[in-house]
């Protein structure tokens, strides 16, 4: 197939294919808009070094996995489930013709545990690896183990827009690193003063600023969790309800996939959309038409408390890398605006990258997964 494309990643495709063929391991840092999740997988389908084997691509979130699979199938002019398919929890669309399969984290872990040789797989792509979930870390560890002991021909590609490339490269045996620029339009940035007002009121104030600019395009509002989304949605509807040109949507993991997908498509009547979302929209998902981002700078994190043997949700500030990802959502298709509901002083104190889930989560499930793999001496595990 032809790889000609205006996307920045197109210039790096021959190098990516050559490194994977030569060394079998690669870390790719591609900035937002580069095309790493869309153009790159398709460009590798006909690689001779695959020797007729399939590509598995990990996408951390269900709605992103389905959305990307639909897009890639459309690019090939085929129905979903032909050469491109997906498998997520309680849902799959694959066939005997599928050569590129998009899967979520738990699915990949079970696949590797159930069939360590994975004889039909030639390449595993770990997309959005910066999220550093336990399952992503575990499946990469298992895949490296398989590559070193059973399948020297297995290729591994780790990708992200914001990732500590040196750390991941060293972990993968000093694998090569390729850095690709993105395709982002200019995004004007405005910090707000620290406020003690309720978050919903802060969002209303920021929304007034964005609407006052009279720019075309939709608005994406990043909030920490489902309860915050419902409060902000209710407040904004009461304040801006008389504006018939606005449409309000929610987007978070607890919604059905059908409702999540509704929030991703432009309004059929051309109304301006305001989408209240968690960090589910931070990376792989592209919400078309967004030209403004209002960012609370907050996220919900699961933290395990050993003293009570319980896991609780904590609201914490995001990393600088996540803030940059969110800002980039406003510049995918046109020049945009980003309003951060925190100060520049606060921003300078944020950590550089997201923390690894393994440092704060309940590890009982991980211990069981490691036992299934036969790894019972935790000091010897290549973690």
């Amino acid at each position: 197939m032809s790889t000609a494309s205006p996307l920045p990643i197109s210039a790096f495709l021959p190098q990516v294919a050559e490194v994977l063929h030569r060394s079998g391991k690669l870390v790719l840092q591609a900035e937002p808009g580069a095309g790493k999740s869309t153009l790159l997988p398709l460009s590798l389908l006909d690689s001779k070094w695959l020797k007729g084997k399939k590509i598995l691509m990990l996408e951390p979130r269900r709605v992103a996995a389905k959305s990307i699979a639909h897009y890639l199938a459309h690019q090939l002019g085929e129905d979903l489930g032909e050469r491109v398919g997906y498998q997520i929890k309680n849902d799959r669309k694959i066939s005997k013709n599928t050569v590129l399969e998009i899967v979520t984290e738990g699915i990949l872990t079970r696949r590797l545990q159930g069939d360590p040789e994975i004889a039909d797989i030639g390449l595993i792509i770990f997309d959005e690896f910066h999220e550093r979930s336990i399952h992503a870390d575990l499946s990469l560890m298992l895949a490296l183990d398989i590559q070193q002991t059973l399948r020297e021909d297995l290729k591994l590609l780790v990708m992200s827009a914001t990732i500590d490339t040196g750390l991941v490269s060293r972990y993968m045996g000093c694998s090569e690193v390729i850095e690709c620029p993105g395709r982002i339009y200019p995004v004007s940035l405005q910090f707000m003063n620290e406020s003690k007002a309720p978050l919903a009121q802060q969002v209303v104030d920021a929304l007034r600023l964005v609407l006052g600019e009279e720019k075309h395009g939709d608005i994406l509002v990043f909030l920490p969790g489902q309860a915050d989304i419902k409060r902000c949605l209710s407040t904004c509807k009461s304040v801006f309800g008389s504006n018939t040109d606005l449409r309000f949507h929610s987007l978070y993991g607890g919604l059905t996939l059908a409702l999540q997908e509704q929030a991703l498509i432009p309004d059929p009547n051309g109304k301006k959309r305001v989408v209240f979302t968690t960090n589910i929209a931070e990376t792989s998902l592209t919400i078309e038409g967004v030209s403004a981002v209002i960012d609370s700078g907050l996220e919900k994190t699961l933290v395990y408390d050993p003293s009570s043997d319980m896991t609780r949700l904590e609201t914490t500030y995001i990393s600088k890398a996540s803030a940059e990802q969110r800002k980039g959502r406003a510049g995918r298709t046109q020049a945009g605006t980003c309003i951060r509901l925190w100060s520049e002083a606060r921003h300078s104190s944020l950590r550089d990258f997201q923390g690894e889930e393994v440092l704060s989560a309940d590890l009982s499930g991980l211990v069981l997964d490691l036992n299934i793999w036969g790894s019972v001496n935790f000091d010897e595990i290549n973690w």
Side-chain angles (χ1 to χ4, degrees):
M1 61 172 287
S2 171
T3 57
S5 170
L7 291 172
I9 195 66
S10 60
F12 293 83
L13 296 179
Q15 185 183 358
V16 169
E18 190 276 328
V19 171
L20 286 172
H21 174 54
R22 172 168 42 84
S23 69
K25 293 181 287 190
L26 174 64
V27 178
L28 173 65
Q29 180 179 16
E31 296 176 4
K36 64 176 176 58
S37 302
T38 51
L39 183 61
L40 188 149
L42 295 182
S43 76
L44 297 173
L45 285 181
D46 297 325
S47 299
K48 291 182 179 179
W49 44 260
L50 277 175
K51 299 177 181 178
K53 294 181 171 65
K54 297 197 299 185
I55 297 175
L56 273 183
M57 186 161 87
L58 170 69
E59 283 298 333
R61 302 178 187 276
R62 292 181 305 158
V63 68
K66 285 191 67 173
S67 177
I68 288 174
H70 275 280
Y71 179 85
L72 295 177
H74 178 73
Q75 292 298 103
L76 293 176
E78 298 175 356
D79 292 332
L80 186 61
E82 289 300 308
R83 280 192 289 171
V84 178
Y86 70 86
Q87 184 173 1
I88 63 177
K89 186 177 181 180
N90 300 324
D91 188 14
R92 62 184 294 188
K93 200 147 195 173
I94 57 176
S95 69
K96 63 181 181 180
N97 300 321
T98 301
V99 291
L100 171 58
E101 190 174 342
I102 319 297
V103 299
T104 44
E105 293 171 335
I107 301 295
L108 178 57
T109 301
R110 299 293 175 264
R111 182 81 63 90
L112 298 177
Q113 288 173 325
D115 177 20
E117 193 173 348
I118 48 173
D120 61 332
I121 305 301
L123 167 65
I124 303 177
I125 301 174
F126 296 81
D127 198 14
E128 308 300 353
F129 192 72
H130 68 276
E131 296 195 12
R132 295 306 305 275
S133 71
I134 284 181
H135 269 299
D137 281 3
L138 174 62
S139 56
L140 178 58
M141 185 270 283
L142 298 181
L144 283 168
D145 198 7
I146 291 170
Q147 186 186 56
Q148 292 163 5
T149 58
L150 296 173
R151 289 281 313 281
E152 290 185 358
D153 62 320
L154 179 64
K155 315 295 185 184
L156 303 177
L157 170 58
V158 175
M159 309 193 301
S160 176
T162 52
I163 192 174
D164 188 340
T165 54
L167 175 70
V168 179
S169 171
R170 289 190 296 273
Y171 174 68
M172 295 177 67
C174 295
S175 62
E176 293 189 43
V177 176
I178 294 177
E179 297 182 356
C180 172
R183 188 183 67 179
I184 295 293
Y185 291 86
V187 177
S188 63
L189 181 61
Q190 180 178 347
F191 288 92
M192 303 293 280
N193 294 324
E194 300 284 336
S195 173
K196 294 183 180 179
L199 182 56
Q201 184 58 52
Q202 295 181 52
V203 170
V204 166
D205 294 341
L207 191 52
R208 282 199 180 100
L209 288 175
V210 173
L211 294 175
E213 294 178 353
E214 296 184 356
K215 285 187 176 180
H216 298 290
D218 299 326
I219 303 164
L220 193 58
V221 184
F222 282 101
L223 296 165
Q226 178 178 335
D228 305 282
I229 286 176
K230 289 181 177 179
R231 278 192 293 269
C232 289
L233 183 63
S234 175
T235 301
C236 288
K237 278 185 174 180
S238 65
V239 173
F240 301 100
S242 60
N243 188 337
T244 56
D245 291 328
L246 289 180
R247 291 292 181 269
F248 297 96
H249 296 273
S250 299
L251 181 60
Y252 52 87
L255 286 174
T256 64
L257 286 174
L259 288 175
Q260 290 182 27
E261 289 165 0
Q262 271 186 23
L264 302 180
I265 56 177
D267 185 81
N269 298 315
K271 307 290 186 182
K272 183 187 289 287
R273 296 181 304 150
V274 182
V275 180
F276 299 88
T277 183
T278 60
N279 54 10
I280 191 174
E282 194 173 290
T283 50
S284 296
L285 286 177
T286 295
I287 302 178
E288 295 183 25
V290 171
S291 64
V293 165
I294 297 171
D295 187 1
S296 69
L298 301 170
E299 64 181 353
K300 294 283 189 183
T301 305
L302 279 173
V303 177
Y304 175 66
D305 181 3
S307 62
S308 64
D309 195 27
M310 296 183 68
T311 298
R312 66 181 184 275
L313 272 176
E314 287 190 355
T315 301
T316 60
Y317 272 96
I318 59 176
S319 66
K320 291 175 183 174
S322 292
E324 195 63 24
Q325 289 266 21
R326 294 180 178 190
K327 172 190 165 189
R329 296 284 116 179
R332 280 295 180 96
T333 58
Q334 58 188 305
T337 300
C338 176
I339 297 179
R340 290 175 173 166
L341 304 183
W342 68 94
S343 65
E344 281 193 79
R346 167 78 69 180
H347 186 77
S348 65
S349 69
L350 300 180
R351 63 190 188 277
D352 289 334
F353 297 99
Q354 282 178 264
E356 302 89 339
E357 186 185 7
V358 72
L359 298 179
S360 60
D362 179 2
L363 301 181
S364 56
L366 175 63
V367 170
L368 291 173
D369 283 328
L370 291 172
N371 273 270
I372 292 172
W373 192 250
S375 298
V376 294
N377 189 339
F378 304 134
D379 292 333
E380 295 180 357
I381 293 173
N382 179 26
W383 201 246

